[in-house]
Amino acid sequence: MNETDTVNRLPTPVRALETDDPAELLRFALASFGRGPVAIATLTGIRGGAARALGAHVVIAADGGHAGFVSGGCVEAAVATEAMLAMAEGRDRTVAYGEGSPFFDIVLPCGGGITVAIHVLRDVEAIDCVLRCLEARRPAALRYSPQTQALTCAPVPERAGWDGTGFLSVYRPVTRLMISGRSIEAQALARLAACAGYDILVLDPARAIHAIEGMADAHTAIAVLHHDPDAELPVLLKALQSPGFYIGAMGSMKAHRARVERLRDQGIAEADIARIKAPIGMFGPTRDASSLAISVLADVAAARLTRFA
């Protein structure tokens, strides 16, 4: 039977899950593996522009159900078909789309090209390892070796890419957003961050210091949304001792100048004071809680992309 005949016998690809969250995709792979063959397609090369970053995944089950994205949505059905062929043959394959691809009828709107490595899962031990790390809020990495057609856990590099022995996909814990304050701005930010899938902790000032000390990690953003300078000072002092990638404080430029002087009086170094984004947010001034929440969330997202690009 030639490949065309095999394609004609394959199930029709259908999107089973609308997500691009890496942890959700790996959990989908685990669940699907319990029911039959599974393949993971990984974006391993970009030529020109692309809608997704290196390391993006599509997970495909033998029945054609798939989840994830390696493009803006224009090649995923084709990737699923290629993955089902790989599962039928029992061996991995690599395909290219867009610029430089033999699939002239599949054009990427961005005008570039992508390369996708399709791996047929033989076991899920490495995926289990990554999920355990993420649940413990530790970054993790998978190395895919085309030579051995295997996935293994690996030391975490700065970013996804080829390292000479294989392709490394990087996974980082979900952003934890710690919001200190009982203001309407704190409530609006919490609602918006929930929609973005962040791990949210809204803290009463009396509890904020202990919470930051025990729960702030490198993937944590801290938003100090107080209208009382005396209430915010101990929170900021504790936030500056944390490894959080973002610390922001609400208030005007005038309020921030006074804040800086208070921090200097506490002996805080200029480099540490410079970690505070104030006025908080990406744009300003804002005059309502919803606008402030959008501004802060955009700023946090941009800071995370910069820190973990």
Side-chain angles (χ1 to χ4, degrees), residues 139-197:
L142 287 176
R143 174 180 283 109
Y144 168 64
S145 169
Q147 291 74 31
T148 62
Q149 297 193 12
L151 278 181
T152 55
C153 286
V156 182
E158 288 189 11
R159 57 185 58 86
W162 293 94
D163 73 346
T165 62
F167 184 86
L168 288 163
S169 298
V170 181
Y171 309 88
R172 301 192 187 278
V174 65
T175 298
R176 171 170 286 164
L177 179 58
M178 305 185 82
I179 306 169
S180 177
R182 289 177 288 185
S183 61
I184 185 175
E185 292 87 358
Q187 296 170 25
L189 178 57
R191 289 194 298 270
L192 191 63
C195 295

Side-chain angles (χ1 to χ4, degrees), residues 22-24 26-27 30 126-136:
E24 286 190 51
L26 294 181
R27 286 193 289 268
L30 279 182
I127 291 176
D128 267 328
C129 174
V130 169
L131 288 174
R132 287 195 302 271
C133 286
L134 293 178
E135 288 169 5

Side-chain angles (χ1 to χ4, degrees), residues 39-54:
I40 295 183
T42 303
L43 178 59
T44 59
I46 296 173
R47 301 175 296 282
R52 302 284 163 175
L54 287 175

